[in-house]
Amino acid sequence: IYYNLFDENDEALEITNAPMIKPQTKHISVECHHFRSHVASERIKIKVIDVTQQQGDLFTKLLLVAQFRYLCKLIKEWLVW
């Protein structure tokens, strides 16, 4: 495994791991197929993460103070070598 990818979106996980493309996903671009090939070859491992643990929300969503502090703490722990 070269990379771990954390995602909480069940539909995105299903699309990535599905061996066949459904009619609803015919529009998926070439980049997605390239990504799926890396998942299939296990160069990228997708791990399910709870929505409350998604650290990227700090930069993209308006959060309650408690959630903001919790995610900041997680990132600080990650940055400590």
Side-chain angles (χ1 to χ4, degrees), residues 11-25:
E11 188 65 29
L13 293 169
E14 183 181 337
I15 290 170
T16 304
N17 293 319
M20 300 295 286
I21 295 177
K22 299 178 190 176
Q24 297 92 340
T25 58

Side-chain angles (χ1 to χ4, degrees), residues 28-76:
I28 293 178
S29 66
V30 173
E31 292 88 3
C32 182
H33 294 290
H34 180 73
F35 181 79
R36 287 176 73 181
S37 70
H38 287 293
V39 171
S41 67
E42 297 185 357
R43 290 186 190 116
I44 297 175
K45 177 73 175 168
I46 300 178
K47 297 184 177 183
V48 178
I49 188 170
D50 188 52
V51 70
T52 61
Q53 303 287 319
Q54 190 61 274
Q55 297 169 8
D57 288 352
L58 274 172
F59 309 106
T60 60
K61 295 182 181 174
L62 182 62
L63 301 171
L64 298 174
V65 174
Q67 182 67 13
F68 179 81
R69 289 181 178 158
Y70 174 73
L71 292 175
C72 284
K73 181 182 171 200
L74 286 179
I75 288 179
K76 286 180 186 176

